[in-house]
Amino acid sequence: MFACSHLMAQNPFIQRITTSEGLPSNSVHKIFQDSRNFLWFATDAGVARFDGLKFDYFRQQDGLSSNDVKDIKEDSFGRIWFFLADASFNFYFGNTIHNENNTPFLKDLKSSDYFQRIYEDKNHSLYFYFHNQMLLFCLNPLNTVTQFMLPDVKVDRRSKRKAPINAMAVRYMYMNDNNEFILYTKSGCYKMKSLTDSATLISDAFGFRDIITSSDQRKFVILKAKDTTKYEIKRFNHEIAFDSIKALVPTPSNYVSSILEDHTGLLWVSTFDKGAYCFRDGKEIFHLAIKDAESIVQDHENNIWIGSMKEGVYKISPYFHFIQHFDNSVFDNSAIYALCRYDSLRTWCTNGKAIYLNSKNLFYKLDFQKTENSINQILQINPKTLITGEINKLPFVIQGMRIDEARKSISYDKVVQSKYTLDRIIYNKSRDQISSFKPTNVIWLSTADYFAHLKYKELKTRIFNTYYNADNELVVNAKINIIIGRDEKIKAYPELKPFNHKIISEHLNLSDKTELFNIEGDSLFLLNNKKIYNLSAAFEQPIDLQIKHLAYNDSTLFIATSKNLFICKKPLNLLENKPVVTHMVNINFRSIHDILINNDNLLVASDEGLSVIPYIYLLRPPTFTPIPYFQSIRINDVECLADNNVVKLKTNQRINIKFSCINYSISPIIYSYKLGGTKDDWTEVKESNVVLQNLSTGKYSFELRARKPGSRWSEAVSIDIEATATIWQHPLLYFVLILLFTGIAVMLIIKRKNQELKRRLMENQIIQLEQKSLQAMMNPHFIFNTLGSIQNYLLHNKPYEAGIYLSKFARLIRQNFNALDTPMINLEEEVDRLKNYLELERLRTTEKFDYTINIDETIESDDVLIPSMIIQPFAENAVWHGIANLEGKGEININIRMIDDKSLEIKVSDTGIGIKNAAKFSTKSDHHLQLGMNITWKRLNLLSQKYKVKSDISFAENTPGLPNPGLIVTIVVPFIYGKSGERD
C-alpha cells in the first residue's frame, strides 16, 4: 500500500487542481458537495461550482456581497448558503444569487462576526451560530429572523491562576426527540427547553474542542477528558454516553480542520499545521504534506477531495485503496522507462540508469550501471542472464546474476558488450532464437555466446520492426511485409498486404490462431484465419491519443496511451460479431513508458514511478454513471428560462439546448437524446448541445441521458417543449386572409369601375366642353361680322379681297371642325389655325392691330400635342376687349415656351385698354367671350386631371401705370409627344 508521501505531483492517483486548472484562487476555505452532486469551492476570490468538466463562477459582479467566502451549506429547501467574511449571508437558489439587495430578510442575519455553523430542525427552521459567542439567529420557514442570547454560564477552570470561563461557547447544537435543544460546548454538554430558558448541565466529563460534520453527514467530536491535556477523535453519536465511545485515533494535531470516514472505513483527518492523514483501524497508512489543509469531502464517485489554504485542491482517486505505487524517490528521483518479467512473482524495471528487481514490494538494485547510455530495454533470457541497454546503441548481456538479500542488491559474474549497434532485441516463443535488426539487415544472436557470433541477412529495404507470429515465424515489417524461415529463406506474407508501407508499432499473439497489430499507434487490427478485422472500429468510443503499449492476459487487452489506460474485455468477440466492451481506467498518468502483466497485476512504468494495480479491479466497469443536466436553453440565440420546466417557442424559432454532466472521473462521456412526440429512438451525440428547428405545432419532451464507455446509461433528465403556431400558421389567419383578399379584390373592382366611370364622365365633359368651345368660337356675331365684311368688299367692287377673305373664313371653319375630332392637336396646326383667325380679325378691323406668335426653339412644334382650341378664346379677348376700343393701333404677342417635360407656358399679351377700362365698354354681346374663357378654364382643369399635370390661368397688366396698360394672360397647359389623331 501507499507509504508516506510528500511528492503529490509524482503520484498518478493524486491530482492537484489550482488556478491553472480553473480554480478562482488557490486559497480554498471549504469544499462542499450539494444534493445534486455538484462540488462547490469557497475561496477568497469567490465561489466556484464544479461538475468535473468545467467551473461556473460566482463573484461580486454576479451578486455576491463579498468575494471572500468562508463556508458553504445547503438546507432542505435546496438553498446553497454562503458564509461571507464580511459577516453576511448570501444563498444560491433558482439560478440566482440572493443578497441583501434582492432578498431583504438577509439584512437581519448580518452580525459583527461571520457565523460558523447552521443547524436545521425538523420544522425546517435554521439556526445560525458562532463558535465562541452566545448570540444565535433563527430563520423560520416564513423567512422571519429572530435573535436569541444564550445564558451566561460561568465554569471554574479548576486553576488558581485562571478565572472562570463562559460555558456557552457552542461547538454544536441539535434538537432531540423531546424537542429540547442539546448544546455541546467547550466545557460540557447542556440542554435547554427553549432558547430563552436557562441551561441545564448534562455532563461536564469532556471538553469539546470541535464537532465536525463530514460530507456524508457523519459527525466527529474532538474532545479531551477532564483533567487531561490530550485530545482524541471520536465518532459522534447522540444516543451513546460519551464515556462509552471508543476513540478512533489520537489527534495528530491540535488544529484539526476536517474529518471524514470514507465508504471503505478509512478515516481521513486534515490539519492546518501538519497536512492530511489517512488511518486504517487506528493506524496511519498515508500522509500528505499539504500546507494549511482544510476541508475533506468524498464525492459520490468515492474520490477524496482535500482543500488547502495555499495549494488549491487535491483529488485522490478511489484506486488509492488497492494500488501499490512506488514513487520516484525509490528510483533515485527518476521515471521508470521499461519493464520485464522475471518470473510469476517478480519484475524487472529500469529508471534509465539502473536496473531494479521488484520482489514482494522490495527493490533489489543490479550492480550493473553504465552512465554513458540510457537503458530502455530489458530482455531476460534465463534466470541468470539478462540483455539490456539502449535501443540503437551497443547492448549488454549480463550473466551469472545472484540476489544478495542482505545488501538488497543483485551481483553478476560478467558483462559482455556488443560490438554492433542493434535495434530492439526479441526472442521467439520457444526462446531458442534471438533476433534483432539494423536499418536494412536482420540479425540473429547466438543462444550460446550472444554477441560473439552474429548472423546477418541483407534485405536492401528499410526495416521498421520485427516480431514472431503465432506460428513462431520471424516477420519483418518493411515496405513489404515478409516471413524469414529457419533456413533464412524469404517468403511473402499475403495476409499482411493491407499493412504494406505501414509501421507495425507493436504486435501480440493473443492465441495460437489470432494476432493483434498496432498500426502506427492509430488503429488496432486482428488477424485470424488469414482474415483482417478492425478492432478499433468496434470500440464504442474512439481512443483519441496514440496507442503506445499493449498487454494481454486472461481474455483482456490492456491498452496504454501516453496518459491513460483502457481495458478491452474479450477482444476476440469481434471474430464472432459480438460486442467488444471497452472502458477507460480512472487514472491519469503524466507519461506512460511501458506496461506489463505479472502476478495478476498490471504494472505501469511512468514519469511518476512504478504503479502495481491488481487487474481484477481494472476489469470492473465504471460503477458510477454520469449525471446529466441542462446548462442553458437559448431560443434564437437568446437565453430562455423554463417556466415550470416547460419551454415555449414558435414553430419558426430555433432552440439550442446545451447540456453537460457531473462526472469526476477522466472517462469520456457519451450523450444520447430523444425528442418525445416525434420519435422513440435515442440518438447518440458527441457534442454537448443539440439544435432543434422547424418543429411542428405540438408538445414535446426532450430527454437526455449519459454514460461512460462500459457503464450503463444514466437516468434520463427531461424538459418539456411547447411549439405553438406563428400567426402565419394559424388556421383562422387563412380565413381572415381570404376574406381580406376577397374584400380587397371587390374594392379594387369597384374602384376600377368607378375610375372607369369617372374617366368616361371626364371624357364626356371634355367633349361637351370642346363642342361648347367650338360653339363659342363660331358664335353668330363672329359669323355675322365676317359675312358683313365680305359683303362690304363686294359692294365696294373689291372681288379679289372678298375672295381672299372668304377663302380664309372657309379655311378657319374647316380647321375648327377638324379640331373638334381630337382633344389634342399638333402645336404647329394649332398655331396655323390661330394665325388664320387673327388674320381674319385683322382684315375685319381694317388692320387695327399687328400680331406675333413666337415658339421657343427647344420645342419641336410638329411633335408636340396640346389641347385644341385652347388659345383662341384669349386671343379673341385681346382683340375685342383690348384692341377694339383703342383709339390707335395695337399689338398682340403670343409666346410659347416649355416649362418641363409635361407642360407648356403660353403668354397672350396685348397693348389694349386693359381690364378695368374694358369693363366700361362691356355689353351683353360680349357674353360669348366670357363663356369661351370659362369653357377653356374648365377644359384645362379636366385635362390636368387626365394627364396629371398642374394647369393654370393667370392675368396681369402688361404695362402697369399707363392709361392703356394692356393685358398679359399666362396659360399653363399639358402637352404630350406624338401625332394628332382620333379620340381614344
Side-chain angles (χ1 to χ4, degrees), residues 690-704:
V690 170
V691 177
L692 304 173
Q693 54 187 357
N694 299 324
L695 292 176
S696 301
T697 304
K699 294 182 179 180
Y700 306 88
S701 177
F702 183 89
E703 296 184 66
L704 174 72

Side-chain angles (χ1 to χ4, degrees), residues 18-19 22-30 40-49 55-72 82-86 90 97 308-310 312:
T18 65
T19 53
L23 271 180
S25 170
N26 288 334
S27 181
V28 179
H29 300 292
K30 186 74 173 182
W40 295 78
F41 301 98
T43 77
D44 60 0
V47 176
R49 188 180 69 176
F55 289 93
D56 292 317
Y57 304 103
F58 303 95
R59 303 183 179 92
Q60 280 186 308
Q61 59 263 37
D62 305 305
L64 280 183
S65 300
S66 169
N67 280 336
D68 195 355
V69 183
K70 297 297 185 181
D71 203 351
I72 303 176
F82 303 137
F83 296 63
L84 305 180
D86 67 353
N90 293 161
I97 295 290
S308 164
M309 287 289 291
K310 291 184 178 179

Side-chain angles (χ1 to χ4, degrees), residues 71 95 145 388 495 829 921 969:
D71 203 351
N95 296 321
V145 176
T388 187
E495 291 85 353
E829 293 180 12
F921 300 97
V969 182

Side-chain angles (χ1 to χ4, degrees), residues 378-392:
I378 306 173
L379 184 69
Q380 181 176 300
I381 304 302
N382 56 57
K384 292 187 177 184
T385 305
L386 198 67
I387 294 178
T388 187
E390 184 175 358
I391 294 174
N392 280 325

Side-chain angles (χ1 to χ4, degrees), residues 12 325 328 335-336 589 591-594 604-611:
H325 178 71
N328 295 351
I336 297 298
F589 295 86
S591 182
I592 298 174
H593 301 294
D594 201 2
V604 181
S606 68
D607 279 357
E608 292 90 347
L610 178 65
S611 302

Side-chain angles (χ1 to χ4, degrees), residues 142-374:
L142 299 177
N143 293 328
T144 301
V145 176
T146 306
Q147 295 185 20
F148 298 94
M149 182 63 71
L150 296 177
D152 187 6
V153 178
K154 296 295 184 181
V155 177
D156 189 1
R157 288 190 174 186
R158 291 177 177 83
S159 172
K160 295 180 180 180
R161 293 175 296 176
K162 295 182 179 180
I165 63 172
N166 176 25
M168 292 292 102
V170 180
R171 307 309 196 199
Y172 180 74
M173 67 177 291
Y174 78 98
M175 185 178 288
N176 64 16
D177 293 338
N178 296 323
N179 294 327
E180 296 174 314
F181 288 97
I182 308 300
L183 308 178
Y184 297 89
T185 74
K186 63 182 179 181
S187 60
C189 182
Y190 294 82
K191 69 178 179 180
M192 301 175 68
K193 289 187 177 181
S194 73
L195 294 177
T196 57
D197 292 339
S198 59
T200 302
L201 179 66
I202 298 175
S203 172
D204 62 353
F206 299 98
F208 299 94
R209 182 177 183 87
D210 204 354
I211 292 180
I212 297 173
T213 303
S214 65
S215 58
D216 60 355
Q217 301 305 310
R218 297 183 191 178
K219 296 174 177 62
F220 301 89
V221 58
I222 303 173
L223 51 74
K224 66 176 181 178
K226 189 181 295 184
D227 300 326
T228 63
T229 59
K230 189 175 182 179
Y231 285 96
E232 293 180 307
I233 299 175
K234 295 187 178 184
R235 190 180 293 110
F236 190 96
N237 191 324
H238 300 315
E239 299 175 359
I240 299 177
F242 294 112
D243 54 2
S244 65
I245 302 177
K246 181 179 178 181
L248 299 174
V249 293
T251 58
S253 165
N254 285 336
Y255 301 97
V256 175
S257 52
S258 187
I259 303 172
L260 171 74
E261 188 174 14
D262 70 18
H263 296 168
T264 64
L266 294 179
L267 186 71
W268 296 81
V269 179
S270 71
T271 68
F272 199 75
D273 58 339
K274 294 182 180 181
Y277 295 82
C278 182
F279 298 93
R280 174 180 281 124
D281 299 327
K283 297 179 181 180
E284 179 187 327
I285 64 169
F286 186 45
H287 173 224
L288 290 177
I290 302 175
K291 295 180 180 178
D292 298 353
E294 281 281 0
S295 60
I296 302 177
V297 168
Q298 184 172 33
D299 66 32
H300 69 289
E301 296 182 0
N302 293 334
N303 298 288
I304 301 295
W305 300 78
I306 304 177
S308 164
M309 287 289 291
K310 291 184 178 179
E311 298 178 344
V313 173
Y314 290 90
K315 173 190 171 186
I316 302 175
S317 168
Y319 288 99
F320 157 82
H321 301 295
F322 48 80
I323 291 176
Q324 292 174 302
H325 178 71
F326 306 97
D327 63 30
N328 295 351
S329 62
V330 179
F331 310 105
D332 296 328
N333 295 323
S334 296
I336 297 298
Y337 294 103
L339 300 169
C340 179
R341 189 175 184 269
Y342 180 83
D343 57 25
S344 61
L345 298 176
R346 293 174 286 187
T347 305
W348 294 103
C349 62
T350 178
N351 64 354
K353 295 299 180 182
I355 299 174
Y356 302 85
L357 180 65
N358 178 18
S359 177
K360 297 180 180 179
N361 298 334
L362 297 176
F363 289 88
Y364 298 82
K365 188 175 183 180
L366 185 63
D367 288 337
F368 167 81
Q369 189 168 4
K370 294 291 184 180
T371 57
E372 65 272 14
N373 290 329
S374 177

Side-chain angles (χ1 to χ4, degrees), residues 889-902:
K889 191 174 184 180
E891 291 184 6
I892 297 175
N893 298 311
I894 300 174
N895 295 293
I896 303 172
R897 72 179 185 89
M898 186 180 295
I899 297 177
D900 53 38
D901 60 349
K902 290 185 178 181

